[in-house]
Amino acid sequence: MGSSDLIPDAALAARLALDLPGVRAGVTTPAALQGSRPRLSLRDHDRYVSVTMEFRCNLACVHCMIEGTMDRLQPASDEVFARILSEQRANRRWDGLVLTGSEITLRRDLPDLAERARAAGFSRVRIQTHGMHLARPGYARRLLDAGVNEYFVSVAGAGRDSHDRITAVAGAWDKMMAGMEILDADPDVRLLTNTVVTTLSYAELPAIVAHLAHLKRLVQMEFWTYWPMAERDDKGLMARHADILPHLRAAILAARALGRFVEVKNFPECLLADLGDALVNAQPMLVIDPAFWTEFDRNGFHQCPHRDTCGSTECLGLNTAYIERFGPETHELTPIPTPTAPIRGAVPP
């Protein structure tokens, strides 16, 4: 998530107008470059607002970033949600709303929230979910009828064994896949997936792409390199970038060959080389309990030894826990030249 000095004008105006606590925007690409970047990812973060509406979860993912804070973080109140809807109704400030949390489908009133959002003028309503509940009889249909037309699904591993081991719940893979396949039959649906890249999953990234190749509505795959929301990686889940790199490159190329957009988070842009355009650290403006940011800021991003000479606008460099475990990697990283002309590219087939 970018710092406040990276908020573009539109997101800053939204933040000031709403005057809500705990709001940050994470659009890392400067506004002047937004239109000239290659369309190899959706790059629509500035057109969405994300609201954290739930902090319960019925999985126990080993890589969970907020497992130690879920019991004290508070979801956005109905008053806050109503204010966002009012802003949208009056000004049509965004295209889409993201309803998120630890697991948003645990809210019984989720269909009602979606209906209210669509009535307020949001053309896209996205939920961020582990996907298990989508397989319950009739549940996906209820969400579709309520106006949820985007589903950002967490895929932890490549297949039943690894996914269920990482999520610590037997049957999680089968339910998630069944739910996505139900949604895949609806022509208005957009599916996105997110995989957290850890020592347990990095070698499986190409296989994850292959397992999801049959999904017609899957438009974007995201690969988030793990960070522990702390100064140390006490779980040993951080993998060295050099170990991740060949598997990540293979996954990017495989996803693009299938016509998918790709976004990579928290990985050095210079190491991606010719695939550096896959790095998009942007996020929608996020409304969340302000206490979350106290923990998040412990990460200490932007510690690349070449930060002062690098021209990248997307890279978050290294974080404190990575350096504590692997060192600054001064010789492995190289500064990217400052661009002198707009970068242009094409949408993948």
Side-chain angles (χ1 to χ4, degrees):
M1 189 79 58
S3 59
S4 59
D5 61 326
L6 295 175
I7 300 173
D9 292 344
L12 179 59
R15 177 180 174 184
L16 294 175
L18 291 172
D19 192 26
L20 297 172
V23 177
R24 288 192 192 181
V27 179
T28 48
T29 308
L33 294 179
Q34 285 278 14
S36 62
R37 291 291 180 177
R39 277 302 312 278
L40 299 173
S41 74
L42 289 177
R43 285 192 181 274
D44 55 2
H45 308 87
D46 58 324
R47 300 197 297 274
Y48 280 69
V49 59
S50 182
V51 188
T52 309
M53 301 292 291
E54 178 59 69
F55 276 110
R56 295 173 297 161
C57 188
N58 54 345
L59 293 185
C61 300
V62 296
H63 56 245
C64 181
M65 294 168 53
I66 60 171
E67 62 181 356
T69 57
M70 281 192 292
D71 58 343
R72 56 185 174 83
L73 292 175
Q74 298 298 310
S77 66
D78 191 68
E79 177 188 359
V80 167
F81 186 62
R83 289 172 63 187
I84 292 168
L85 298 187
S86 178
E87 172 67 22
Q88 178 68 2
R89 193 176 294 110
N91 298 309
R92 294 296 194 270
R93 193 178 296 279
W94 304 282
D95 295 335
L97 170 71
V98 183
L99 296 171
T100 186
S102 296
E103 180 47 47
I104 192 63
T105 60
L106 293 178
R107 283 196 65 136
R108 293 180 181 274
D109 63 345
L110 179 56
D112 176 63
L113 297 177
E115 287 178 351
R116 292 168 61 189
R118 292 299 296 268
F122 285 102
S123 60
R124 312 298 299 184
V125 173
R126 178 185 303 173
I127 64 168
Q128 187 167 350
T129 177
H130 56 44
M132 287 202 308
H133 295 168
L134 299 172
R136 295 195 323 234
Y139 184 65
R141 186 72 260 166
R142 285 181 61 204
L143 295 182
L144 290 167
D145 290 345
V148 182
N149 50 16
E150 294 186 350
Y151 297 80
F152 187 33
V153 181
S154 298
V155 180
R160 182 181 299 111
D161 291 343
S162 61
H163 182 89
D164 290 4
R165 183 172 63 253
I166 292 169
T167 62
V169 172
W173 169 269
D174 289 339
K175 292 176 181 176
M176 174 197 68
M177 289 301 301
M180 285 202 288
E181 285 162 2
I182 290 170
L183 295 171
D184 201 47
D186 191 298
D188 189 42
V189 162
R190 292 205 302 189
L191 289 171
L192 301 88
T193 61
N194 166 44
T195 298
V196 179
V197 182
T198 70
T199 52
L200 302 177
S201 63
Y202 74 84
E204 297 190 340
L205 298 182
I208 290 172
V209 176
H211 273 292
L212 305 180
H214 65 290
L215 295 172
K216 302 183 295 295
R217 312 299 171 196
L218 179 54
V219 297
Q220 180 157 293
M221 302 187 73
E222 300 190 10
F223 304 107
W224 293 45
T225 309
Y226 172 77
W227 62 86
M229 295 272 281
E231 295 83 359
R232 294 175 54 89
D233 178 25
D234 291 333
K235 291 185 176 182
L237 290 174
M238 300 186 82
R240 189 183 292 274
H241 293 138
D243 294 335
I244 296 172
L245 184 59
H247 308 281
L248 179 59
R249 286 184 59 87
I252 294 169
L253 292 172
R256 287 181 172 176
L258 292 169
R260 318 280 198 234
F261 289 123
V262 175
E263 290 193 2
V264 173
K265 311 285 186 182
N266 190 35
F267 196 87
E269 184 174 350
C270 59
L271 294 183
L272 290 169
D274 58 313
L275 297 181
D277 48 25
L279 183 71
V280 183
N281 278 313
Q283 296 289 345
M285 188 176 81
L286 176 62
V287 180
I288 195 169
D289 187 330
F292 168 81
W293 298 114
T294 302
E295 301 296 323
F296 181 87
D297 289 337
R298 294 172 61 189
N299 289 306
F301 289 112
H302 300 292
Q303 295 190 56
C304 176
H306 305 294
R307 183 182 180 189
D308 291 341
T309 56
C310 184
S312 174
T313 62
E314 291 290 338
C315 192
L316 298 181
L318 305 181
N319 56 59
T320 300
Y322 188 93
I323 293 173
E324 192 276 336
R325 184 166 181 188
F326 299 116
E329 299 196 332
T330 303
H331 300 295
E332 290 83 354
L333 306 176
T334 55
I336 291 175
T338 301
T340 55
I343 305 170
R344 301 193 180 276
V347 178

